[in-house]
């Protein structure tokens, strides 16, 4: 198993600490805060000094003395109150990078104890086209899914369709209102169904009776009315087929296409269980659970509504039960708008009270909104909600305008160019989304998001394409990849940057934060650019340097591609730009 430079040195420090009879808990190193002076630092002596009541500089000096003996270290110093700063020998860096390049996982280990993780993202609703709010759930969810899978966990993703709530009754009621019955439902396409849903919304807002009818129909649907069930199933199927297209375009993968309706039976079991445990009560005809107040008001959780129907909360509680019992989930991760935080707090708390999620980690990763230039949720020009498919069309249009037209570049058909447009547009959309902290919202910037320079997806894709071209030229010139050697500072910096790969992936995994990967990909591409400016490959001083630099370039390419993959982004082999 290849070990990164950092891991190797953590081990070396542990050995030194043991030898000096110091608590190895403090034997950790980290990339230096002063990269101009050292590669890594260890602050363990400061923590040790407190517990041992000794001078930290003295302890640091003892450790430094041992470290000095290691031939893989080129310099050591004790600075400030007791920081140990050190540099790694060029030989060791080269050896480690050669190993990384041989390893198909680029030296990244896997978690020691793989877990069964169920990921709940997407969350589309029947009869509603995906809108820009669904973008983040799909993009962040897919990235975390890929990261978790890469580090060795077993992930099952479930789209969790919103197919069981009042909107279903509203649509059925609206169809009956317009057609007199449900006989024609099966001739409706998605456009018609969405239009009906909008009309239903308006009518239910204006007319209390219409709302009441919709509620009753929802309850009857849930309780098994065959006519409603049949129409509902058709509406659901059409909706699923429609959203599948958008998720496919986003390259978001779902193992399961289950919905709230699939938890119906478990909803009943949850209600029974709550009764048995004596934690529910009947209030005004509804079955509810009261939660203890914390520092903020805690509304009660409604298990069964007055009309006998199940609400949003109980479907989520019941779904936890099925995920634990049927899928053996050890962890359930929800990637859902942070405005639903209270909902998840309540759902998790009730699951705990019911004992249905013992030893299961439940986590809500709440994201902020996608905003327009005015700082308010992103809208169309006429003020409506921006459909996700329209946003993709607009983005592609933007990218297309900066690309050559079909026929302008030899060897590229219309389809080749269109494929590139799609890859770049999706790369731009996703990178723009993922480069922000999940919890903060961001402004969807239609001007700059697809630029080839700056912190954008296309910038990274372009870096990959550029290296592809370097590798093609080298091959044509008969130059083959050789062993990595470190001969100057630029090669050294690039090598050290590359060796951070594992650390970055493990942090992104621990924090469930893809922006750690976007940051790293961006810096790596920048550092490579600096390296390539000063370190010629084909015209290197000698062949040893040429083949070494070629290998470094190829390793940067593989690393960037892997990082993009973890962000859900494809890297085109070649990138064209309009003349
Ligand atoms: N369908 C829901 C909505 O549109 C989102 C579902 C989120 N996932 C969940 N398990 N509750 O608000």
């Amino acid at each position: 198993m290849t070990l990164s430079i950092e891991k190797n040195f953590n081990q070396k420090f542990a050995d030194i600490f043991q030898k000096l009879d110091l608590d190895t808990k403090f034997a950790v190193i980290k990339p230096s805060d002063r990269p101009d002076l050292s590669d890594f630092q260890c602050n363990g002596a400061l923590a040790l000094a407190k517990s041992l009541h000794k001078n930290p500089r003295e302890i640091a000096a003892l450790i430094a003395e041992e470290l000095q003996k290691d031939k893989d270290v080129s310099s050591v110093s004790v600075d400030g109150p007791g920081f140990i700063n050190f540099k790694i020998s060029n030989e060791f860096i080269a050896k480690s990078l050669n190993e990384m390049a041989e390893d198909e996982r680029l030296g990244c280990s896997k978690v020691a104890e793989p877990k069964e993780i169920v990921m709940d993202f997407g969350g589309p609703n029947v009869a509603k086209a995906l809108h820009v709010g669904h973008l983040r759930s799909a993009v962040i969810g897919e990235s975390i899914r890929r990261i978790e899978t890469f580090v060795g966990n077993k992930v099952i993703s479930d789209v969790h369709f919103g197919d069981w709530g009042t909107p279903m009754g509203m649509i059925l009621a609206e169809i009956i209102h317009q057609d007199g019955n449900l006989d024609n439902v099966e001739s409706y396409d998605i456009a018609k169904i969405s239009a009906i849903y909008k009309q239903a919304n308006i009518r239910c807002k204006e007319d209390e009776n219409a709302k009441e009818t919709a509620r009753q129909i929802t309850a009857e649907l849930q309780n098994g009315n065959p006519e409603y069930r049949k129409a509902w199933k058709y509406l659901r199927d059409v909706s699923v087929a429609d959203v599948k297209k958008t998720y496919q375009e986003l390259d978001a993968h779902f193992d399961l296409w289950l919905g709230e309706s699939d938890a119906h039976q478990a909803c009943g079991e949850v209600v029974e269980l709550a009764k048995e445990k004596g934690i529910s009560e009947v209030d005004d005809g509804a079955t509810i659970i009261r939660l203890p107040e914390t520092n903020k008001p805690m509304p009660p959780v409604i298990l069964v509504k007055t009309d006998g129907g199940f609400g949003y909360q109980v479907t989520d509680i019941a779904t936890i039960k099925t995920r634990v019992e049927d899928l053996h989930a050890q962890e359930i991760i929800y990637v859902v708008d942070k405005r639903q935080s209270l909902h998840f707090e309540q759902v998790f708390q009730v699951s705990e009270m019911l004992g249905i999620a013992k030893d299961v980690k439940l986590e809500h990763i709440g994201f902020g909104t996608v905003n327009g230039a005015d700082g308010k949720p992103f809208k169309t020009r006429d003020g409506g909600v921006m459909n996700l498919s329209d946003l993709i069309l607009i983005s592609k249009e933007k990218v297309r305008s900066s690309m050559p037209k079909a026929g302008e570049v030899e060897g590229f058909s219309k389809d080749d160019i269109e494929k590139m447009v799609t890859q770049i547009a999706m790369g731009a959309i996703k990178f723009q989304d993922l480069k922000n902290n999940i919890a903060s919202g961001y402004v969807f910037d239609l001007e700059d998001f697809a630029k080839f320079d700056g912190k954008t997806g296309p910038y990274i894709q372009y870096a990959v394409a550029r290296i592809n071209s370097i590798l093609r030229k080298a091959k044509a010139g008969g130059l083959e990849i050789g062993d990595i050697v470190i001969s100057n500072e630029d090669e050294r910096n690039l090598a050290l940057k590359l060796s951070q790969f594992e650390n970055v992936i493990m942090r992104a995994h621990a924090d469930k934060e893809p922006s750690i990967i976007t940051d790293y990909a961006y810096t790596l591409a920048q550092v490579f650019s600096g390296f390539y400016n000063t370190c010629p490959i084909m015209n290197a001083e000698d062949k040893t340097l040429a083949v070494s630099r070629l290998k470094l370039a190829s390793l940067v390419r593989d690393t960037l591609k892997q990082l993009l993959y973890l962000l859900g982004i494809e890297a085109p082999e070649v990138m064209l730009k309009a003349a």
Side-chain angles (χ1 to χ4, degrees), residues 59 104 231 263 444 471 501 516 534:
I59 302 179
E104 59 174 20
F444 195 97
L471 293 169
F501 177 72
I516 295 175
T534 54

Side-chain angles (χ1 to χ4, degrees), residues 105-111 146-152 500-514 516-517 520 559 562-564 566-567:
R105 295 182 53 79
L106 302 167
C108 189
S109 54
K110 292 190 175 182
V111 290
R146 291 184 186 204
I147 296 168
E148 290 309 307
T149 308
F150 184 66
V151 301
Q500 290 172 2
F501 177 72
E502 178 183 48
N503 177 298
V504 166
I505 302 299
M506 286 304 167
R507 272 192 295 132
H509 147 68
D511 296 0
K512 308 279 180 293
E513 189 53 91
I516 295 175
I517 293 184
Y520 176 64
T559 308
Q562 181 62 37
L563 295 168
L564 287 177
L566 294 174
L567 300 170

Side-chain angles (χ1 to χ4, degrees), residues 12 30 37 55 112 128 166 197 364 382 399 401 553 575:
K12 286 173 190 280
K30 60 171 201 157
L37 298 179
N55 180 346
K128 279 210 252 178
T166 324
Y197 179 60
H364 170 216
D382 56 18
V399 171
S401 68
M575 298 253 287

Side-chain angles (χ1 to χ4, degrees), residues 120 123-125 134 160 162 260 312 316 323 334 336 340 343-344:
D120 180 319
N125 297 314
H134 292 105
H160 201 69
E260 294 169 359
Y312 183 41
D316 260 321
R323 285 173 178 165
Y334 299 83
V336 178
Q340 295 201 20
H343 165 77
F344 285 107

Side-chain angles (χ1 to χ4, degrees), residues 58-118:
E58 271 170 30
I59 302 179
L62 286 175
I63 300 167
E65 198 185 316
E66 287 299 318
L67 189 61
Q68 196 101 51
K69 296 180 193 159
D70 190 325
K71 64 171 184 2
D72 299 332
V73 173
S74 64
S75 72
V76 186
S77 64
V78 174
D79 301 302
F83 303 122
I84 303 164
N85 280 298
F86 62 102
K87 281 194 150 203
I88 315 281
S89 75
N90 287 349
E91 292 69 29
F92 190 80
I93 296 176
K95 177 173 158 279
S96 173
L97 267 274
N98 279 315
E99 280 171 10
M100 178 178 171
E102 298 311 317
D103 182 13
E104 59 174 20
R105 295 182 53 79
L106 302 167
C108 189
S109 54
K110 292 190 175 182
V111 290
E113 286 171 33
K115 284 210 175 110
E116 301 277 337
I117 301 179
V118 172

Side-chain angles (χ1 to χ4, degrees), residues 373-388:
D374 59 359
K376 303 220 177 82
F378 201 67
K379 292 266 160 65
T380 54
R381 265 195 213 142
D382 56 18
V385 184
M386 175 69 92
N387 273 349
L388 190 44

